[in-house]
Amino acid sequence: MRTYTYEASRKAFERALQVIPSGVYGHLGPVNGCFIPQSAFPLFSARAEGTRFWDVDGNEYIDYMCGYGPNVLGYGDPDVKAAADRQALLEDVVSLPSSVMVDFAELLVDTVACADWAFFAKNGGDATTLAVMTARAATLRKKIVFIKGYYHGSAAWTQKLDYPGVLEEDVVHNLYVPFNDLAALEEVLAENEGSVAGLIAQPYMHGNFADNVLPAPGYWHAVRALCDRYGIVLIVDDVRAGFRLDMAGSDHFYGFRADLICFCKALANGYNVSALCGRDSLKDVVGSLSYTGSYWMSAVPFAAGIATITKLREIDAPSLFARLGTELTTGLVSAASEHGFDLVASGEPALFYLRLADDDSLMLHQEWVAECVRRGVFISSHHNHFINAALTSDDIAHTLEVAHEAFGVVRDRHPEAGLR
């Protein structure tokens, strides 16, 4: 099987270094250290369609990162694009919001179980920040409980004290508990009774560089009960998992009801919009906050969002993602076993994490991921992966063929590992 080279990507990166801090900033930049070895990964894409993208060297990839989540129906989905194009011909950013915003809010209220209203912004971090502000405004309290290993965006309140640019004042009201540890949560809430405004958590632990962890039986029901007992706003960060597990929200999937729920990635198939939804009791509180942005009422993403949610409902996307994700992950685990590796696939099938358990340093895992990317299967060594509706069983079969060859390359390169 041919392996890829990236001459055009490297040339583009050299140009980027001259005019853009770090060339490519954030976790997609090579200086961040998430692409190991760097030489195995492209740095710039040229076009995308369906479940695939092509880099600037013309290499083709089956994409299991899905733009880190937004590609939920397939890149350039024709129904979403048609809806966005129709709206663009009418209006987009205007001095007054388009009534399509109301249509989108009504659709979300009709779709999401805990939603009595919807407030729109642009990024997942906008929605989580608004959720925390709402909890504080509603309770007149300061402290927020976080689950250790969390990620809720890049605002200062979501970061750690030793991160550059973060002040002690930014995180002084943060409290931390382990996931699935009810005793620790109850202890923290009792110690801080009367001062905790909210608890924010993803529906299950899908952090980076670690196996995903599902909620223990009864966990979320107990968390809901504790929040009710202490008068705390329960916030679900569904930015990653939203509409991939359950169209009614991941809280509905796990059998409880959030007070506030945050959506972004799968909301409009790549068009730029996020949403905070919640209970009627918090509607006036949200409305009282000073919170908006220059493009937050842009009409095109609302039209794209309506088309996206409508189509996801029509095709019962969560069931499709569960089936495809199970087919893929069981195939990968089996392929690894045939080459003597122990591949762990954790999390929900629609949003899974991979780790080779044969080496605690993750070097073997990173080598395997790199060999897959070099052969056209774009996966990550440190991040959970996403299923989209354009993926087919033929794509999965080709992925398994690539994975087999990549496992063989790594096994032959490391006789010292003593694999079967």
Side-chain angles (χ1 to χ4, degrees), residues 13-350:
F13 185 64
E14 289 302 317
R15 289 172 47 216
L17 282 173
Q18 303 304 311
V19 291
I20 298 171
S22 302
V24 178
Y25 44 78
H27 65 96
L28 292 177
V31 298
N32 196 271
C34 292
F35 295 152
I36 299 176
Q38 288 184 17
S39 60
F41 292 83
L43 297 176
F44 292 93
S45 62
R47 68 183 181 93
E49 180 181 350
T51 196
R52 286 171 163 76
F53 75 87
W54 288 258
D55 68 19
V56 290
D57 288 280
N59 301 315
E60 176 181 338
Y61 304 84
I62 298 176
D63 185 9
Y64 290 103
M65 298 311 298
C66 293
Y68 285 76
N71 180 30
V72 66
L73 283 171
Y75 291 118
D77 178 86
D79 296 321
V80 177
K81 183 177 185 305
D85 289 349
R86 284 194 300 271
Q87 182 59 47
L89 289 174
L90 297 173
E91 62 174 349
D92 188 16
V93 179
V94 182
S95 300
L96 296 176
S98 167
S99 61
V100 72
M101 180 174 75
V102 184
D103 300 336
F104 195 21
E106 288 174 341
L107 178 60
L108 289 181
V109 167
D110 185 54
T111 302
V112 177
C114 71
D116 293 316
W117 49 265
F119 186 112
F120 298 108
K122 283 298 169 193
N123 289 294
D126 299 334
T128 56
T129 297
L130 178 60
V132 167
M133 290 176 65
T134 301
R136 286 174 167 153
T139 62
L140 302 179
R141 301 171 182 172
K142 296 180 179 179
K143 296 185 182 297
I144 302 293
V145 176
F146 293 78
I147 305 298
K148 291 180 179 177
Y150 65 90
Y151 177 76
H152 299 302
S154 54
W157 65 268
T158 69
Q159 305 218 16
K160 312 297 188 298
L161 186 55
D162 58 347
Y163 285 14
V166 176
L167 305 178
E168 183 176 1
E169 293 90 329
D170 294 325
V171 296
V172 69
H173 297 300
N174 294 358
L175 303 170
Y176 309 100
V177 298
F179 187 58
N180 274 340
D181 191 337
L182 290 170
L185 175 60
E186 186 158 13
E187 181 178 349
V188 163
L189 296 183
E191 289 175 351
N192 295 276
E193 185 169 5
S195 61
V196 177
L199 181 150
I200 183 168
Q202 296 159 333
Y204 69 91
M205 287 303 292
H206 40 72
N208 297 336
F209 299 103
D211 294 346
N212 287 188
V213 182
L214 300 180
Y219 173 72
W220 276 118
H221 284 285
V223 172
R224 176 72 268 177
L226 285 170
C227 287
D228 291 341
R229 186 199 305 172
Y230 287 94
I232 295 168
V233 177
L234 176 53
I235 305 163
V236 169
D237 176 354
D238 220 9
V239 169
R240 278 190 190 175
F243 308 118
R244 279 192 162 85
L245 307 186
D246 190 327
M247 292 305 298
S250 295
D251 56 339
H252 184 263
F253 183 77
Y254 288 121
F256 71 104
R257 184 171 183 178
D259 296 315
L260 296 171
I261 188 164
C262 311
F263 297 108
C264 183
K265 292 180 181 295
L267 194 54
N269 204 47
Y271 287 84
N272 190 357
V273 63
S274 64
L276 177 68
C277 297
R279 293 192 180 206
D280 188 61
S281 59
L282 295 168
K283 184 178 178 183
D284 290 342
V285 178
V286 176
S288 73
L289 301 179
S290 178
Y291 203 68
T292 188
S294 297
Y295 300 96
W296 286 15
M297 296 185 189
S298 173
V300 169
F302 295 150
I306 291 170
T308 300
I309 297 301
T310 300
K311 190 165 184 176
L312 289 172
R313 285 170 46 155
E314 288 173 351
I315 65 174
D316 188 10
S319 296
L320 175 66
F321 297 153
R323 178 178 63 78
L324 292 172
T326 300
E327 182 180 345
L328 174 66
T329 54
T330 55
L332 290 172
V333 169
S334 177
S337 179
E338 291 180 31
H339 291 274
F341 290 102
D342 179 14
L343 180 68
V344 177
S346 57
E348 298 290 353

